[in-house]
Amino acid sequence: DMTITEICDVLRKELVNNCYEYGFVVDGKTYKPDMSNGFDEEYYNLAQTISVVQEPFVTMQEKTGTCIDAAIVMKHLLDELSVPSKIWLLYNPKKNKVHTVLTFEAEAKVVYLELTPQSAKEWYGKELVFTDACEFCQWYEEKGYEVSDVTERVFVGERPMFLLEKLG
């Protein structure tokens, strides 16, 4: 069995060393937010209307993806290594913000590794180790998030309804 560190190194090698950027690809065209003026409304509207959950190989080839796409690439790599993983939706009702992350199991622990492209979270790229999934959920709930396991609701090639429903 691989150690937590070895598994995290595989994930970081793909998502960090390859300098993934935030955005999405539809029909071969790449869309990235222009954050030079703060919030990119046009990008946000496109993300709400035309983006789909990308095939992991598209994300890996284009080096562009959203938090969902990063989670799918991680799940793809973990599945190849036979490492159990889950995809979680984090929803902050106060800020009406959503985020998708992945956890995996190794060494009888649950590990969260934030690898969303261009994430500003202080724990980006650092493995956070929890006793179990409940402890992981509580950690985010204490930050004001509703946490739900959406592993079975994420479908490659489809709109991310599990996430869009929360945004209304």
Side-chain angles (χ1 to χ4, degrees):
D1 285 357
M2 294 175 75
T3 65
I4 290 170
T5 304
E6 289 168 334
I7 295 165
C8 288
D9 286 348
V10 167
L11 298 174
R12 282 190 286 256
K13 184 175 178 228
E14 176 58 39
L15 286 132
V16 178
N17 295 7
N18 286 317
C19 300
Y20 277 44
E21 290 187 78
Y22 195 85
F24 62 90
V25 180
V26 174
D27 297 330
K29 184 169 191 248
T30 301
Y31 299 87
K32 294 178 187 169
D34 174 4
M35 302 311 270
S36 57
N37 299 321
F39 184 72
D40 183 342
E41 193 159 341
E42 184 183 357
Y43 171 85
Y44 181 77
N45 291 336
L46 288 170
Q48 299 280 305
T49 53
I50 68 167
S51 73
V52 296
V53 179
Q54 294 176 180
E55 290 280 356
F57 68 85
V58 170
T59 306
M60 293 163 83
Q61 183 182 317
E62 300 297 327
K63 309 287 183 240
T64 302
T66 64
C67 56
I68 302 165
D69 302 318
I72 291 289
V73 166
M74 292 167 76
K75 182 156 188 35
H76 168 74
L77 295 169
L78 293 169
D79 288 351
E80 287 183 339
L81 300 170
S82 301
V83 174
S85 63
K86 288 186 175 178
I87 298 174
W88 302 89
L89 178 66
L90 309 174
Y91 174 62
N92 183 324
K94 283 200 179 103
K95 296 180 180 170
N96 196 35
K97 286 230 164 151
V98 288
H99 187 45
T100 310
V101 298
L102 176 137
T103 61
F104 66 87
E105 294 172 33
E107 299 178 41
K109 302 283 186 199
V110 167
V111 183
Y112 163 45
L113 179 63
E114 175 64 63
L115 291 177
T116 295
Q118 298 165 311
S119 170
K121 293 194 170 34
E122 62 265 27
W123 52 85
Y124 174 80
K126 300 181 180 101
E127 60 264 33
L128 303 181
V129 181
F130 298 92
T131 319
D132 55 26
C134 289
E135 190 185 38
F136 164 77
C137 291
Q138 286 170 339
W139 186 74
Y140 257 115
E141 285 162 1
E142 286 166 8
K143 298 176 183 332
Y145 287 87
E146 294 171 10
V147 183
S148 47
D149 177 352
V150 294
T151 310
E152 304 301 320
R153 297 189 62 206
V154 182
F155 302 105
V156 168
E158 291 187 16
R159 310 259 311 111
M161 297 315 295
F162 66 91
L163 178 146
L164 295 170
E165 289 162 5
K166 289 286 186 190
L167 296 174

